[in-house]
Amino acid sequence: MTTLHTLGFPRIGARRELKQAQEAYWAGTLQRSELEHVGRELRARHWAAQAEAGISLLPVGDFAWYDQMLEWNCLLGAVPPRFGQDAGEPVDLDTLFRMARGRAPSGTPAAACEMTKWFDTNYHYIVPELHPSQTYRIARDSLFEQVAEAQAQGHQAKPVIPGPLSWLWLGKGDAYTSAGDSAKLDLLERLVPVYREVLARLADQGVEWVQIDEPILVLDLPDAWQRALLRVYDQLTAGPVKLLLATYFGGLNDNLFTALALPVAGLHLDLVRAPEQLAAVLPRLGDKKILSAGVINGRNIWRTDLDKALALIEPARAQLGERLWLAPSCSLLHVPVDLAHEQKLDAELKGWLSFARQKLDELALLAQALDAPAEAAEALAGQRAAIAARATSPRIHNPAVQAYMAVLDGVSRDRQSPFETRISAQQQALKLPAFPTTTIGSFPQTREIRALRRDLKKGALSEADYDAAIRREIEQCIRYQEEIGIDVLVHGEAERNDMVEYFGELLEGFAFTQNGWVQSYGSRCVKPPVIFGDVSRPQPMTVAWSAYAQSLTDKPVKGMLTGPVTILQWSFVRDDQPRQKTCEQLALALRQEVLDLEDAGIRVIQIDEPALREGLPLRRADWPAYLGWAVDCFRLSTGAVRDDTQTHTHMCYAEFNDIIESIAAMDADVITIETSRSNMELLKAFEDFHYPNDIGPGVYDIHSPNVPEVDWIVGLMQKAAANLPAERLWVNPDCGLKTRGWEETRSALENMVQAARRLRDAG
Ligand SMILES: CN1c2c(nc(N)[nH]c2=O)NC[C@@H]1CNc1ccc(C(=O)N[C@@H](CCC(=O)N[C@@H](CCC(=O)N[C@@H](CCC(=O)O)C(=O)O)C(=O)O)C(=O)O)cc1
Ligand SMILES: N[C@@H](CCS)C(=O)O
Ligand SMILES: [Zn+2]
């Protein structure tokens, strides 16, 4: 019998039960005991679903109240001193929430820990805060309690824990200069004994296998880290539990020999992203190790081509027999829970898809195909038919798009004139003051706005009434910005459920789901649209809203679009053509929208690319190719406008140093970026590079409810002006305001405008 396991199952619940419960608890309307009950119910449901599907080793530790890394930070007692954690006391749930959000129903508010992107996904983890004198201890028991919970339900629990090297790599601290700073390795001396203690406790609970995640093994690793892996795993494997070392999101490449040399009992490979590594691993695996083959894609939603998967793993099966285990490529955290909850997707399209729950069945079928091929034949034939139907469907091809793509090389990506010429034409047209103020696009998405969309969907509100209500929101937003004296206004994005899903709903070649939620961070989720075919724009998507907003004021209103790379990155993308091609189709659709906005009298157009950096391949050798086409697609979408039309772009959650050249090559007239959390440190890349175009360094952190003081904003801008020409600087928040309330938004923006006035007076 083939052993099946998963690296993790989505924790949010098919109806986002975890989100509802957490937010109610934070708001004080749900008791702690009720919250804990919801957690137990979800875990039990998810384990049961996996067991029913035939998964024998069930993940424990994939459930997290906010984030799995944060759970581990708390288990290790790595709680920064500002949270007032008593040494020796267990870390309480509210302390965990304060680390994530700065506040919780109990305990003193403190600055939240940093949150950043998890590898190349749209999931965000809470960054471990490292310090050279940090000590560790088992400070939270939830993992052990959950193991007992799973066992009491009759399951074979396989705890899932972050490996020590990956935990350190992903951590940050003032004493360390980069992810791979070898000084971090000094902490291992104190960390490893606690890992050993954890493993010993799990062994006492009767656990046989522990999955230990070392995803950094798919990155370019310095020698010191490779050596540390060898040293540490020698110490970790001494006890009675068996370790399954899990790698995912790529191939081992030059880390292959290190991974194979580790004395662990099993190794998990991502054979979706890097199928070629199997041939290199098989002859070197030895005669004892388990190989877990990750053959079901944990990062996308397409039904698996099981014939292809079988062809890949058959040599492994022949060599390893039952030492070959099967699994998804990575945790299923990154895909929606259950396709069964989609009532509105047409049957053809639904037949092409597989969400987390369906992926379990695919895994079981694959095992059956190995163990009892005759019994699997009929189901395999059904799967084969579904794969063939998708590959040959006329819905995926659009001749008009193909015709445009065929002449793409001849389409200019360049603006008509260089920046110096354009900016003076824009200055004449827009007549902006020094230190112009603007915002990033969205204004608070209030409950009322979301309820309007809910009612529209339910049929309780007509299209006309919905439109009228959104227009009122836009008018209020414009009036407010005029009143406080913002220079370049926005319409506020009230009509958007999400900056990617909104466009997915309006573009051809996309499908969208009712319930395909995926956790982005904490309680926040996204519903990534599905790109299944050639992308085109049947009609303008934003022009009516932007033109309406512009009709209300003489001040310029920015048109607001999500860029091609970000739409690509935050969607589930077709896998039957290179991502570059899909991105080019998106860029062409956006190019038409940009020109329509310009025709409608919109003089400033922003094309957001917050995911440009997130899309970077994990291996540096692959960066130039990606950056080449990503920048090209941005330029394709923006390049056709007149000189006096001003283009903006916006990026957040990113470090810019290593891609500054590509950012400059995008040639947006203005870039607004997230810099406030780093106290303008991130601007250094722009200073060192002598970035030529206009820059709006974010002057306050929109992720925090704290209102920035005028002096503080002035100080930050002066810091920026010390190294960048003042006439190139804009004043703006560091991201959109959709997750904020109106009260804090008002105070913050008013202070921001005050600060800009003071800067002008001083200059
Ligand atoms: C900027 N970020 C984004 C990322 N990815 C995206 N795809 N979009 C982004 O904006 N990645 C990086 C960052 C940070 N990530 C996020 C992710 C998610 C949110 C967020 O606020 N999510 C909302 C859901 C937004 C949404 O889709 N809203 C819909 C539906 C709202 C809903 O739940 N409706 C309820 C009824 C509501 C009511 O009655 O009050 C229902 O249908 O039952 C909409 O507005 O229509 C979230 O709540 O998780 C932010 C940053
Ligand atoms: N225009 C978007 C960008 C977010 S990254 C917003 O303001 O929400
Ligand atoms: Zn942003």
Side-chain angles (χ1 to χ4, degrees):
M1 280 278 288
T2 304
T3 300
L4 302 180
H5 73 118
T6 68
L7 279 68
F9 197 78
R11 47 186 163 253
I12 53 172
R15 306 241 172 238
R16 289 183 299 162
E17 294 88 332
L18 188 57
K19 172 198 175 65
Q20 325 295 355
Q22 270 174 305
E23 291 181 358
Y25 175 69
W26 296 334
T29 56
L30 194 79
Q31 299 293 315
R32 166 87 67 98
S33 57
E34 294 169 308
L35 177 69
E36 282 167 350
H37 177 75
V38 172
R40 268 194 305 277
E41 289 276 316
L42 285 169
R43 290 192 292 273
R45 197 194 301 166
H46 297 156
W47 287 326
Q50 294 177 82
E52 270 164 32
I55 311 295
S56 50
L57 275 175
L58 297 182
V60 178
D62 54 346
F63 179 86
W65 286 114
Y66 198 96
D67 160 50
Q68 71 271 10
M69 283 292 275
L70 176 60
E71 292 281 351
W72 193 247
N73 305 344
C74 291
L75 184 145
L76 293 174
V79 179
R82 64 183 178 281
F83 296 101
Q85 175 66 41
D86 283 339
E89 289 296 310
V91 177
D92 166 72
L93 183 60
D94 276 3
T95 303
L96 179 149
F97 283 142
R98 285 187 302 125
M99 287 168 73
R101 313 174 56 244
R103 54 183 67 192
S106 72
T108 313
C113 296
E114 185 181 337
M115 184 169 77
T116 197
K117 293 271 160 139
W118 180 244
F119 295 85
D120 57 356
T121 75
N122 195 7
Y123 178 77
H124 304 65
Y125 73 96
I126 299 292
V127 177
E129 281 184 31
L130 306 178
H131 190 274
S133 61
Q134 201 165 41
T135 55
Y136 308 103
R137 66 189 168 99
I138 296 180
R140 201 169 146 77
D141 281 338
S142 48
L143 177 69
F144 310 106
E145 287 161 6
Q146 288 169 25
V147 166
E149 213 174 282
Q151 290 169 333
Q153 289 161 31
H155 303 305
Q156 191 182 350
K158 178 202 59 179
V160 176
I161 65 175
L165 278 303
S166 292
W167 188 76
L168 287 179
W169 183 278
L170 295 167
K172 291 186 185 173
D174 289 343
Y176 309 106
T177 54
S178 65
D181 189 338
S182 59
K184 287 180 181 178
L185 299 173
D186 295 344
L187 295 173
L188 284 167
E189 201 183 325
R190 271 166 269 148
L191 197 53
V192 170
V194 183
Y195 268 80
R196 287 171 54 114
E197 231 183 288
V198 170
L199 296 177
R201 264 183 77 170
L202 292 171
D204 286 347
Q205 287 185 283
V207 163
E208 185 186 0
W209 282 95
V210 172
Q211 175 189 316
I212 188 156
D213 287 2
E214 289 288 9
I216 63 162
L217 276 163
V218 308
L219 306 179
D220 300 315
L221 286 186
D223 288 350
W225 287 73
Q226 303 218 16
R227 284 196 302 275
L229 274 157
L230 292 165
R231 208 172 56 241
V232 164
Y233 278 83
D234 266 341
Q235 298 169 43
L236 291 186
T237 45
V241 288
K242 295 178 186 156
L243 292 186
L244 174 71
L245 183 81
T247 67
Y248 40 83
F249 302 150
L252 291 167
N253 302 19
D254 51 338
N255 299 323
L256 184 110
F257 290 98
T258 306
L260 284 170
L262 301 179
V264 290
L267 178 64
H268 172 84
L269 301 177
D270 182 340
L271 296 180
V272 173
R273 279 269 176 100
E276 68 288 346
Q277 58 181 337
L278 183 59
V281 167
L282 276 182
R284 299 177 174 91
L285 193 70
D287 55 9
K288 290 205 176 55
K289 266 189 195 148
I290 293 292
L291 180 69
S292 161
V295 282
I296 305 286
N297 196 342
R299 293 287 299 273
N300 216 332
I301 43 60
W302 304 110
R303 262 173 101 154
T304 310
D305 183 339
L306 293 179
D307 290 333
K308 210 166 132 198
L310 274 171
L312 180 72
I313 57 177
E314 262 157 4
R317 168 71 168 206
Q319 179 184 321
L320 304 173
E322 296 200 348
R323 282 198 292 131
L324 176 72
W325 292 4
L326 299 180
S329 57
C330 59
S331 166
L332 295 171
L333 176 71
H334 310 289
V335 292
V337 181
D338 195 349
L339 188 60
H341 294 284
E342 298 303 320
Q343 271 91 38
K344 292 197 177 154
L345 279 177
D346 66 78
E348 184 186 16
L349 212 105
K350 219 169 158 179
W352 300 349
L353 304 179
S354 171
F355 291 179
R357 178 62 193 80
Q358 289 66 43
K359 285 174 192 282
L360 303 176
D361 293 336
E362 291 187 325
L363 210 51
L365 180 54
L366 207 53
Q368 195 181 34
L370 291 177
D371 297 337
E375 285 161 40
E378 196 183 323
L380 276 179
Q383 184 90 356
R384 198 172 296 132
I387 300 291
R390 181 178 154 220
T392 53
S393 168
R395 288 174 71 179
I396 63 176
H397 301 300
N398 179 334
V401 177
Q402 295 294 337
Y404 206 164
M405 292 290 287
V407 297
L408 198 62
D409 283 351
V411 179
S412 171
R413 278 76 162 154
D414 294 335
R415 298 287 297 271
Q416 285 163 15
S417 308
F419 174 73
E420 306 79 66
T421 314
R422 294 186 328 245
I423 197 73
S424 52
Q426 291 159 19
Q427 198 46 38
Q428 274 193 343
L430 299 171
K431 305 206 169 18
L432 297 173
F435 296 105
T437 50
T438 192
T439 61
I440 307 304
S442 58
F443 267 70
Q445 276 272 340
T446 56
R447 287 202 90 78
E448 292 72 28
I449 297 177
R450 294 212 160 128
L452 288 171
R453 247 188 311 280
R454 180 199 56 202
D455 292 347
L456 174 72
K457 275 190 194 152
K458 279 201 315 211
L461 190 71
S462 70
E463 196 82 46
D465 287 345
Y466 175 76
D467 274 25
I470 295 289
R471 279 175 177 246
R472 280 196 295 278
E473 289 290 336
I474 292 176
E475 176 165 14
Q476 276 167 24
C477 186
I478 294 287
R479 295 288 168 247
Y480 171 69
Q481 292 169 85
E482 281 187 323
E483 188 188 307
I484 66 165
I486 300 240
D487 301 303
V488 173
L489 312 192
V490 295
H491 75 287
E493 302 181 23
E495 79 287 8
R496 299 184 190 179
N497 44 11
D498 172 71
M499 60 185 287
V500 167
E501 193 185 3
Y502 176 78
F503 290 95
E505 288 177 356
L506 295 171
L507 288 163
E508 295 265 300
F510 272 83
F512 51 94
T513 62
Q514 284 167 283
N515 244 305
W517 294 101
V518 177
Q519 187 179 14
S520 181
Y521 68 86
S523 68
R524 298 282 176 176
C525 300
V526 292
K527 246 191 293 140
V530 177
I531 309 180
F532 66 83
D534 289 341
V535 175
S536 62
R537 186 197 69 144
Q539 57 204 22
M541 303 180 284
T542 62
V543 177
W545 300 119
S546 288
Y548 171 65
Q550 185 63 83
S551 75
L552 299 170
T553 176
D554 292 333
K555 289 204 169 171
V557 176
K558 268 197 284 194
M560 201 61 58
L561 301 173
T562 303
V565 183
T566 298
I567 296 186
L568 184 85
Q569 190 64 22
W570 291 350
S571 299
F572 290 121
V573 181
R574 60 192 288 191
D575 56 359
D576 58 346
Q577 68 178 20
R579 289 170 74 82
Q580 172 178 354
K581 227 174 153 202
T582 306
C583 199
E584 286 165 354
Q585 294 180 356
L586 284 161
L588 286 172
L590 289 163
R591 183 180 174 96
Q592 292 161 351
E593 184 75 9
V594 165
L595 290 174
D596 281 349
L597 282 168
E598 188 180 57
D599 280 351
I602 305 299
R603 292 167 286 167
V604 183
I605 303 172
Q606 179 169 310
I607 296 98
D608 292 323
E609 283 294 18
L612 187 104
R613 195 176 199 294
E614 171 192 310
L616 269 182
L618 296 175
R619 298 275 186 175
R620 255 186 193 261
D622 302 325
W623 283 20
Y626 161 79
L627 286 169
W629 62 255
V631 170
D632 183 70
C633 285
F634 180 85
R635 289 162 57 96
L636 191 57
S637 57
T638 53
V641 292
R642 296 191 311 259
D643 277 354
D644 61 355
T645 297
Q646 186 168 75
T647 60
H648 288 215
T649 192
H650 161 71
M651 291 187 192
C652 47
Y653 302 101
E655 277 160 23
F656 306 104
N657 296 39
D658 40 14
I659 57 163
I660 188 72
E661 232 175 293
S662 300
I663 294 177
M666 290 163 73
D667 201 21
D669 295 314
V670 183
I671 183 168
T672 55
I673 49 170
E674 180 189 316
T675 41
S676 67
R677 271 190 291 186
S678 70
N679 208 9
M680 297 278 153
E681 281 308 308
L682 289 178
L683 255 196
K684 200 164 168 352
F686 290 80
E687 295 162 4
D688 293 349
F689 187 75
H690 301 294
Y691 182 82
N693 300 8
D694 280 15
I695 311 177
V699 291
Y700 78 90
D701 176 11
I702 63 90
H703 300 93
S704 153
N706 301 337
V707 172
E709 299 292 335
V710 177
D711 285 346
W712 191 70
I713 300 176
V714 170
L716 282 182
M717 288 305 297
Q718 282 168 340
K719 201 167 165 187
N723 293 307
L724 288 163
E727 65 276 18
R728 298 271 69 85
L729 291 175
W730 289 60
V731 184
N732 45 264
D734 67 0
C735 190
L737 304 165
K738 62 187 165 203
T739 55
R740 299 263 58 93
W742 261 106
E743 203 178 302
E744 68 225 30
T745 295
R746 275 197 195 94
S747 313
L749 289 182
E750 282 155 32
N751 285 358
M752 187 185 89
V753 172
Q754 277 299 319
R757 289 194 179 128
R758 217 191 284 163
L759 287 160
R760 282 169 209 153
D761 292 347

